[in-house]
Amino acid sequence: MARAPVVAPASEPIARPVWPARDVCALAAGFGLVAGAVEVIAALVRFHLMNRTIYMGSEMVWQLPLADAMIFLLAALPVVAVGTLWKRLREPPVVLSLGSALVVFAGLLLTEKIHIAAEAMLAAGLGVGAGRLLLPRAEPLRRRVRYGVPGAVLLLVTLGLVQRPLGAAKERREIARLPAVAGSHPNILLLVLDTVRAWDLSLYGWGRATTPRLSEWAARGVLFQRALAPAPWTTLSHAVMFTGRYPTDLPVSWRTPLGSEFPTLAGVLRHAGYATGGFAGNYLNLGRGTGLSAGFLHYEDYPFELVPWLRSTSIGLRILREDRIKELVGRRRSIPGLVASDVNRRFLHWQEEQGSRPWFGFLNYFDAHAPYLPPAPFDTMYMGKSDPPVDRYWQNLERAYGRPSVPAAELGEEVDAYDGAITYLDGQVDSLLKSLAARGALDHTIVVVTGDHGELFGEHDLIGHGNNLYLPVLHVPLLIVATGHAPPNARIPSLTSLRDLPVTLLELAGVPNPGIPGHSMIGLWDANALAVQDTLMASVDYNWLIPNFPPSPVLRGPMRSVVLDSLQYIRNGDGGEELYHLGRDPWEVQNLVALPEYQSDLQRYRLALASVLRTARPPSPSR
């Protein structure tokens, strides 16, 4: 009898594993640690091998992986929540692909070369491919991550906890090794008001009482009425103030740090036995990654706070750029800068620990930088208030340049907020100096108050800074108060460059100068000292970060400027030339280049610029 054929049972669908929520979260954090490690390696390569500026310090080794781990974990929470209903989201192929895509996306964001949508699509494709490669090892990976990720996080947290006390111990050892200071040398306090132009200080004749306290301090010292910055942006201007070099002699660019080949004011003072401390309100452009911390035994820049911490990662930075996110976290907190009260507090804590050793303190205040958000009530103290001298300023502006591309009403609001920030800084500088006076330290301290560059609010149809070399971005305040070293209530009408600050401070302090160039300003107020007319030179290189609205002159190439007496000469990147008479035409409306009576002056200024450039180092390839 024939046997009936055996019918195979219908095949059942193969059950796909679904990972528990805790394993999905652990894997997400693990992918975040990998992304953070990639960012650390990229930063080290950029800084050490490519000589590129990075905007973080050595703490990035533990901060970046932890920050990315937190961001990736937060991104996993919606996946876990939806995955409770739709199990497929917690299957290994999906989890591995999503995690890999985020790692690739974080790496692509470091380039800033292609559109974010293209980066997201590329990351998604590569993530799916990476997920398939990892799938055969999914189970061993899940088991290792369950215990490995908490261990790695604990290790990084421990590293973060011990880094600060280890750094403090190292600082104490270095201070103990400083040479004894021979004789009595005064302390030096350098206060830089970031983005503050002289035009908006009542100390310099502005219609609003923006600096009443600085006006009182000026009665005790020397006020320079025509001080010019060497660059219209922070990093290069500070580099010149620290080294005494012409801006074109330094390697500093929008992407290149200062380097260690030039002696700095802080380094010279440290070698002479000074304790040196720097406190950067504008920590983005003055942080250790810019090279400007050279010579400082103590340097405070990047704060360890939630928003700056998350912003240090590529994904966190991209998220926090969004206006809606800024509104959510608060626009003041989204600014990469410390408020002046925090800068003062940090400095006073450090100064109190220095004992009898002379010190050099450098403080940078960021509050007047865009987007001009000083604390209340200074944020609205000038809003909508009529002020005839300020109103005349806008009338003159429209007469000089016509109607600016940005509506005058909007520019007026910007100036109102800007002036409020300056008034806030006026009070903070006054508070700091009075605190030092209460400690008995002020009479033995040389105080310098200046700005690194100015700002434009429609002049030449331009806004902001870093995009031109016109007078509003170069004319900065400069005040030196030094009891027993500089006369009180002195006004210096002569042209002065911030390039000459280092050599001046060394001479005032009686510290030997090992070769920092420049000309001392002492001769401008002391008839017994030698007064030498310096060539005031300013420079700015092409900056691809500046939008072409309004059209910025620097987008045509690097710009150079020379001021010798009453004339300013500007050479643009396309070869175009400008010549203005600052005494008769401070708005710089009439370009004198084509006038026959100024041809000899034009040739003299061309030769002066050529003389400076001949001694300058060649630009680095990264420029």
Side-chain angles (χ1 to χ4, degrees):
M1 183 174 178
R3 182 177 295 180
V6 178
V7 179
S11 61
E12 304 226 352
I14 301 174
R16 295 178 178 176
V18 176
W19 281 348
R22 66 171 184 174
D23 288 342
V24 175
C25 290
L27 272 165
F31 278 116
L33 293 175
V34 172
V38 170
E39 293 196 51
V40 170
I41 294 171
L44 292 174
V45 168
R46 289 201 309 270
F47 188 71
H48 292 289
L49 299 183
M50 302 175 65
N51 194 33
R52 295 290 178 84
T53 300
I54 59 173
Y55 299 102
M56 59 195 81
S58 59
E59 62 273 9
M60 68 178 178
V61 174
W62 60 271
Q63 286 189 5
L64 284 178
L66 285 179
D68 271 323
M70 178 182 289
I71 292 171
F72 279 44
L73 182 58
L74 291 174
L77 294 181
V79 175
V80 171
V82 177
T84 59
L85 300 176
W86 186 29
K87 303 293 185 182
R88 185 176 180 81
L89 273 183
R90 289 195 281 128
E91 292 178 359
V94 177
V95 174
L96 293 174
S97 296
L98 289 175
S100 300
L102 277 178
V103 173
V104 175
F105 186 56
L108 291 174
L109 284 176
L110 293 173
T111 64
E112 297 278 349
K113 295 295 184 183
I114 58 178
H115 194 277
I116 188 171
E119 291 175 330
M121 289 187 290
L122 181 58
L126 293 175
V128 171
R132 289 176 178 173
L133 291 176
L134 293 173
L135 188 58
R137 305 173 182 82
E139 279 305 307
L141 180 63
R142 180 177 69 89
R143 290 193 297 270
R144 290 169 185 162
V145 163
R146 181 179 292 180
Y147 301 102
V149 167
V153 169
L154 180 61
L155 178 63
L156 292 171
V157 169
T158 302
L159 179 59
L161 291 174
V162 303
Q163 185 179 29
R164 177 165 292 184
L166 288 177
K170 179 183 177 183
E171 183 180 325
R172 288 192 296 269
R173 290 194 301 270
E174 291 179 345
I175 289 179
R177 288 198 294 263
L178 289 177
V181 180
S184 176
H185 292 280
N187 308 311
I188 300 175
L189 180 62
L190 174 59
L191 307 177
V192 180
L193 313 179
D194 204 304
T195 320
V196 171
R197 64 184 192 177
W199 286 20
D200 280 62
L201 274 64
S202 54
L203 179 62
Y204 283 82
W206 184 234
R208 289 170 172 161
T210 51
T211 53
R213 295 173 179 86
L214 275 178
S215 297
E216 295 174 0
W217 286 104
R220 306 187 187 188
V222 181
L223 181 68
F224 295 84
Q225 297 173 319
R226 301 174 69 197
L228 299 184
W233 63 289
T234 295
T235 308
L236 182 55
S237 185
H238 279 79
V240 174
M241 280 191 277
F242 287 176
T243 64
R245 303 277 174 172
Y246 285 114
T248 49
D249 195 37
L250 296 171
V252 177
S253 73
W254 300 101
R255 309 174 80 179
T256 311
L258 175 60
S260 58
E261 59 266 47
F262 298 111
T264 64
L265 175 62
V268 172
L269 292 171
R270 174 177 172 176
H271 183 74
Y274 276 68
T276 53
F279 303 84
N282 185 351
Y283 56 81
L284 186 68
N285 292 302
L286 295 173
R288 281 159 285 164
T290 65
L292 293 176
S293 63
F296 287 98
L297 283 165
H298 182 88
Y299 203 81
E300 295 192 26
D301 42 19
Y302 315 106
F304 185 53
E305 299 171 358
L306 180 61
V307 173
W309 178 40
L310 296 177
R311 189 173 48 230
S312 65
T313 68
S314 60
I315 292 181
L317 176 62
R318 186 64 184 82
I319 293 173
L320 289 167
R321 282 179 179 175
E322 298 297 323
D323 283 339
R324 291 183 180 179
I325 302 299
K326 289 180 181 178
E327 293 290 349
L328 181 64
V329 302
R331 290 193 174 272
R332 175 69 250 183
R333 296 183 64 203
S334 67
I335 299 174
L338 297 173
V339 295
S341 57
D342 285 343
V343 176
N344 284 351
R345 175 179 51 80
R346 294 174 181 218
F347 163 73
L348 289 171
H349 175 74
W350 172 81
Q351 184 271 334
E352 193 174 27
E353 297 177 341
Q354 302 314 309
S356 60
R357 182 178 292 277
W359 47 262
F360 167 51
F362 156 65
L363 282 69
N364 167 274
Y365 297 117
F366 187 67
D367 304 82
H369 195 285
Y372 324 119
L373 293 177
F378 301 94
D379 54 342
T380 58
M381 69 183 305
Y382 297 115
M383 291 293 181
K385 293 184 179 180
S386 176
D387 192 323
V390 179
D391 293 339
R392 284 198 298 271
Y393 172 82
W394 293 110
Q395 295 168 7
N396 290 334
L397 180 64
E398 290 199 16
R399 246 196 321 265
Y401 306 111
R403 186 171 297 280
S405 56
V406 178
E410 292 183 21
L411 290 173
E413 293 174 358
E414 296 287 299
V415 172
D416 289 343
Y418 180 70
D419 287 351
I422 292 174
T423 306
Y424 167 68
L425 287 175
D426 179 68
Q428 289 298 313
V429 171
D430 180 69
S431 174
L432 176 68
L433 298 182
K434 287 179 178 176
S435 295
L436 290 175
R439 295 179 178 184
L442 189 60
D443 286 341
H444 308 288
T445 301
I446 299 168
V447 179
V448 178
V449 182
T450 188
D452 58 344
H453 58 79
E455 192 81 318
L456 269 76
F457 295 95
E459 300 89 354
H460 293 273
D461 202 19
L462 294 169
I463 57 175
H465 60 269
N467 54 3
N468 69 94
L469 292 177
Y470 295 116
L471 191 59
V473 296
L474 298 183
H475 186 198
V476 293
L478 177 57
L479 170 65
I480 297 179
V481 179
T483 303
H485 299 274
N489 204 27
R491 298 294 181 268
I492 307 298
S494 304
L495 282 166
T496 312
S497 172
L498 297 187
R499 181 180 90 92
D500 294 328
L501 265 180
V503 65
T504 303
L505 291 174
L506 290 176
E507 185 174 347
L508 284 173
V511 175
N513 184 352
I516 290 183
H519 303 287
S520 174
M521 303 175 188
I522 295 177
L524 298 177
W525 72 72
D526 187 348
N528 297 319
L530 179 63
V532 179
Q533 178 65 51
D534 196 2
T535 299
L536 279 72
M537 191 266 188
S539 171
V540 61
D541 284 344
Y542 170 82
N543 182 5
W544 71 98
L545 297 174
I546 293 178
N548 196 22
F549 179 80
S552 298
V554 76
L555 295 179
R556 300 197 297 267
M559 301 178 66
R560 310 288 183 246
S561 175
V562 167
V563 180
L564 297 178
D565 36 52
S566 294
L567 299 175
Q568 181 187 12
Y569 169 75
I570 300 174
R571 191 181 72 189
N572 293 289
D574 59 0
E577 296 177 300
E578 300 173 62
L579 187 69
Y580 300 103
H581 196 298
L582 301 182
R584 301 172 189 162
D585 180 23
W587 290 86
E588 298 175 306
V589 176
Q590 184 182 11
N591 186 359
L592 307 173
V593 164
L595 298 184
E597 59 266 35
Y598 285 97
Q599 293 309 302
S600 60
D601 292 303
L602 181 62
Q603 184 61 24
R604 179 165 60 96
Y605 275 72
R606 287 170 176 165
L607 292 174
L609 177 59
S611 176
V612 172
L613 295 180
R614 272 197 302 270
T615 63
R617 59 185 289 145
S620 62
S622 61
R623 289 187 179 183

